[in-house]
Amino acid sequence: MTDPILEVEDLRTEIQIDGRWLPVVDGVTYSVRPGETLGLVGESGSGKSVSAMTLMGFVGRRRGQRLSGHASFRGQDLLGMSERDLGKMRGNDIAMVFQEPMTSLDPSFKVGNQIAEGIRLHQGVSRDEAMRLAIEAMDKVRIPNAKVRADSYPHEFSGGMRQRVLIAMAIANNPALLIADEPTTALDVSVQAQILTLLAEMRDELGLAMIFITHNMGVVADICDRVAVMYAGQIIETGEVRETFADPQHPYTERLLASMPRLRGERRQLEWIPGTPPGPAGFAEGCRFAPRCTHARDVCLEPTTLLEIGGGRANRCTRDVEWKEEVAG
Ligand SMILES: Nc1ncnc2c1ncn2[C@@H]1O[C@H](COP(=O)(O)OP(=O)(O)OP(=O)(O)O)[C@@H](O)[C@H]1O
Ligand SMILES: [Mg+2]
């Protein structure tokens, strides 16, 4: 098995609000290998975006923000890297695709120029060569008639085509790692499926490592190899997608899966998770999901750790540990 290209260990991002430091991301550990997709999944506010933004240097370095832990990309220390070096790495070795294409594109410039500008910045090639590479990237993401379309403005594209432009921009400098943050949420279902397929094709063709951020378990099932389920700033369960979905260990993962609509198979009642996820000011002392958990017991008031259960799987729930101890003892 190839070595991970990105290793994140005990990442913690705190934001100061009303004089209090709040752990928005609290001890997140994961790794990604080339050609592999890790899904970061969880409800709104669980810290998915902030964890990615911290790696990219967008969060954690400003006033009223701080970070700790380790993150190494190809052996280089991302968190200790200067803003300047990190700036060079962004959009080059590590690229990001965001949810809303319109905010990532400048409405007043033609898309070809916008893609070419990023290429010139990172590769130092001539204007003509940059435009040639931009059109090549648009071709790669299957934008029909790329040469002509390079001359269009962002508003002249449909939502799906705009997302393709962003993906073209992301892959234009041959990144090794692509972080996609809810890249399909704003699109309708059929276009969403096309974009997911495209991202999977790009990953396979270019051997990219990918972190895919979403709140949608169905999307995780479609595109990810491994999953890390986030709740209240922590990873509460992680493992191979197939195994985790077949046999979730943490009650929160169970509930997320139960609330996922299925296209095929038996009709069933969709479950929802009562209560709302806590904000960083109101995290519980022990298991953060305990206040919403039907399995909660006294032991859940103790601090949790991510317990390895073999096969690359780990989770924070003590339910089975207790049960195993009972059986053994
Ligand atoms: N700049 C900021 N200042 C203060 N709080 C912030 C800031 N950015 C994020 N937060 C808080 O950090 C927590 C995690 O936010 P984050 O954006 O990572 O969530 P998310 O899991 O990506 O959610 P969503 O699915 O809605 O995108 C939230 O409680 C959010 O309100
Ligand atoms: Mg987010």
Side-chain angles (χ1 to χ4, degrees), residues 43-50 53 99 181-182 213-214:
E43 281 168 290
S44 186
S46 54
K48 307 180 297 292
S49 295
V50 170
M53 297 291 192
Q99 172 175 349
D181 191 351
E182 305 267 13
I213 298 176
T214 178

Side-chain angles (χ1 to χ4, degrees), residues 22 24 57 192 198 263:
L22 304 178
V24 166
Q192 197 169 348
L198 173 69
L263 288 178

Side-chain angles (χ1 to χ4, degrees), residues 293-311:
C293 184
T294 48
H295 300 276
R297 289 163 305 166
D298 288 349
V299 65
C300 306
L301 300 172
E302 314 270 330
T304 63
T305 50
L306 202 56
L307 294 165
E308 310 245 351
I309 57 164

Side-chain angles (χ1 to χ4, degrees), residues 285-288 290 295-305 307 316-323 325-326:
E285 277 287 315
C287 171
R288 292 177 182 176
H295 300 276
R297 289 163 305 166
D298 288 349
V299 65
C300 306
L301 300 172
E302 314 270 330
T304 63
T305 50
L307 294 165
R316 281 183 185 268
C317 185
T318 52
R319 189 171 51 158
D320 285 348
V321 174
E322 289 265 298
W323 177 77
E325 277 168 3
E326 274 167 31

Side-chain angles (χ1 to χ4, degrees), residues 181-199:
D181 191 351
E182 305 267 13
T184 60
T185 311
L187 305 170
D188 69 56
V189 179
S190 62
V191 180
Q192 197 169 348
Q194 290 166 12
I195 296 295
L196 288 182
T197 307
L198 173 69
L199 281 168

